[in-house]
Amino acid sequence: MSINLYRDTLQNVWLFGQSVLYTEQSIPREEVPEGWHCYDLKGSDADPGCPYEMVDRAGQDSAGSILSHIPLMRGRTHGKLVPNNFWMTAAPVTLADFCAEEGIPCPQPPEELSKAAEERPETWEPTVKGWAM
């Protein structure tokens, strides 16, 4: 089961000192807004549901997904341990609420972006400008 980032409620959490969004469900990478970052949380073998490590993609032992407007890992980093770095605020929020609280621009759902592009009037411009002789 996956989540709709633009309509569903996520959890505002603190991870590595940053305010980010968390969901126990998987976030489809094709749904991540442009300029945002998505990571998976893995659990340990002993407790697969409790976040233990943040990775780009969790193959198994998935403990949820993180959506962040800032990068939380460097390019060559394969994973980061999260014990003592992951704090739930118990504040359910939508993406729009989170963006308003953080003072960052809220991304638009893909269907709204395509709708806006369709509504934009086409303007005709000649391919060659200037005088012809």
Side-chain angles (χ1 to χ4, degrees):
M1 183 173 195
S2 64
I3 190 165
N4 182 315
L5 296 174
Y6 302 94
R7 286 194 307 254
D8 295 338
T9 302
L10 299 102
Q11 292 289 319
N12 188 357
V13 301
W14 283 91
L15 181 61
F16 304 117
Q18 299 296 324
S19 179
V20 297
L21 293 169
Y22 164 77
T23 178
E24 291 179 352
Q25 299 173 3
S26 175
I27 296 176
R29 294 309 195 263
E30 62 274 4
E31 305 245 342
V32 176
E34 188 175 334
W36 286 65
H37 307 274
C38 186
Y39 307 97
D40 286 340
L41 295 175
K42 286 177 57 176
S44 65
D45 290 337
D47 192 359
C50 181
Y52 179 74
E53 181 181 18
M54 184 178 72
V55 295
D56 279 329
R57 291 182 190 256
Q60 59 187 7
D61 297 331
S62 177
S65 294
I66 294 291
L67 183 66
S68 174
H69 63 285
I70 58 171
L72 298 175
M73 288 198 306
R74 293 189 179 140
R76 292 179 277 175
T77 305
H78 295 288
K80 289 174 85 172
L81 298 180
V82 299
N84 301 321
N85 290 304
F86 181 82
W87 296 279
M88 300 280 283
T89 62
V93 294
T94 63
L95 180 59
D97 292 338
F98 176 80
C99 291
E101 288 174 12
E102 295 293 317
I104 56 176
C106 185
Q108 291 193 2
E111 59 270 6
E112 286 186 22
L113 291 174
S114 62
K115 183 179 169 184
E118 290 173 5
E119 291 175 354
R120 206 174 304 136
E122 288 187 37
T123 56
W124 181 82
E125 292 201 21
T127 56
V128 179
K129 295 183 180 180
W131 293 93
M133 298 206 148

